Amino acid sequence: MNQVLLIDDDVELVGMFREYLEQEGFRVSCAHDGEAGAREALSGRSAIAVLDVMMPHMNGLETLRRIRARSHMPVLMLTGRGDDTDRILGLELGADDYVTKPCTPRELTARIRAILRRTNAPRGDGDGITISVGKLSMQPAQRRASWDGATLELTSTEFNLLEVLARNAGRPVSKNDLSEQGLGRPMARFDRNIDVHLSSLRHKLGTLADGRSCLQTVYRLGYQLIRD
């Protein structure tokens, strides 16, 4: 699927993004308020939603809550340059990534491609296997994960990051490597994206026999999934 849903009340900006994305081979649908955007996102017609935080009536964060209550589709947030609180809250609510406004259509398109490339990456024969680390089980080809037999409800980015950690279980993985392999882009300076996603994963994963989280921070090295 290459259908992109743009949710933003700025009609002129949406028109510019739409024109560029269509020139790049995407099909585009648009919604100019949160209610309509959430409804269209949940229709299943789009591969990814681009969602602006600042909208009247129902803002982007509430729209994201509605989408995440029923769908794990990738969501890319558009945030203001100084809106660190909204940015972190959006990631905590399940956004896959964010782009800071003002941004160019080229930058937005590159970020969309990075997310979809990881989400829809073709799987080779070797990826038909199950990755098992303690009570964690992952089937990359089906993009399914479970802990002690119970299904894990993960966003596309959380799945990507957990897969990278599972394939490197017992070894620390740097934040930059996680960003490159899990988000498809280098980590920007002062970027807290990886930290927020990993915090969410900690809450969703179970604990080891001694009560510790199986996902550990390794000082100055990154994150590590511990083998139980």
Side-chain angles (χ1 to χ4, degrees):
M1 292 176 64
N2 70 337
Q3 176 93 9
V4 177
L5 171 61
L6 301 176
I7 309 172
D8 195 323
D9 65 314
D10 188 331
V11 177
E12 184 177 349
L13 182 66
V14 167
M16 179 180 66
F17 285 155
R18 178 175 192 162
E19 182 178 356
Y20 190 90
L21 284 164
E22 288 177 339
Q23 289 174 355
E24 292 295 307
F26 291 95
R27 291 180 291 121
V28 182
S29 57
C30 306
H32 299 297
D33 64 80
E35 291 273 2
R39 200 162 48 243
E40 180 59 28
L42 294 172
S43 72
R45 289 188 284 262
S46 300
I48 186 171
V50 178
L51 174 61
D52 185 35
V53 170
M54 296 301 294
M55 291 188 294
H57 310 305
M58 190 168 85
N59 67 26
L61 296 175
E62 180 56 35
T63 304
L64 178 60
R65 284 191 184 93
R66 293 201 184 184
I67 294 172
R68 278 290 167 262
R70 293 173 52 193
S71 172
H72 298 297
M73 75 179 299
V75 176
L76 177 64
M77 299 291 291
L78 292 174
T79 68
R81 187 167 296 279
D83 294 340
D84 290 339
T85 301
D86 284 347
R87 193 172 301 141
I88 292 171
L89 182 54
L91 293 172
E92 290 175 342
L93 290 173
D96 290 270
D97 204 353
Y98 61 82
V99 176
T100 303
K101 295 171 72 175
C103 66
T104 65
R106 183 177 181 180
E107 179 185 2
L108 181 70
T109 303
R111 199 65 64 85
I112 289 170
R113 281 206 171 104
I115 294 173
L116 293 180
R117 186 164 53 244
R118 287 294 304 166
T119 304
N120 303 321
R123 304 288 173 172
D125 292 340
D127 287 310
I129 63 173
T130 296
I131 304 171
S132 297
V133 182
K135 295 180 180 180
L136 174 67
S137 178
M138 300 188 76
Q139 293 83 41
Q142 291 78 37
R143 294 188 68 79
R144 285 193 295 226
S146 61
W147 180 272
D148 200 18
T151 299
L152 291 170
E153 299 293 337
L154 305 175
T155 67
S156 62
T157 294
E158 287 171 352
F159 187 96
N160 295 341
L161 293 171
L162 185 57
E163 181 183 349
V164 174
L165 289 165
R167 290 183 182 275
N168 292 275
R171 302 191 302 270
V173 183
S174 71
K175 290 182 184 180
N176 193 64
D177 284 345
L178 284 168
S179 187
E180 289 271 14
Q181 298 177 49
L183 277 71
R185 64 175 178 85
M187 189 175 72
R189 193 180 182 189
F190 306 123
D191 191 346
R192 293 192 56 196
N193 205 324
I194 296 298
D195 296 316
V196 177
H197 284 306
L198 269 291
S199 176
S200 176
L201 276 172
R202 274 203 186 96
H203 286 95
K204 293 183 179 183
L205 295 172
T207 58
L208 301 173
D210 59 7
R212 290 181 302 153
S213 170
C214 64
L215 188 54
Q216 295 288 315
T217 302
V218 183
Y219 182 61
R220 289 188 175 178
L221 293 178
Y223 289 95
Q224 175 180 323
L225 188 65
I226 297 177
R227 292 186 179 277
D228 191 0

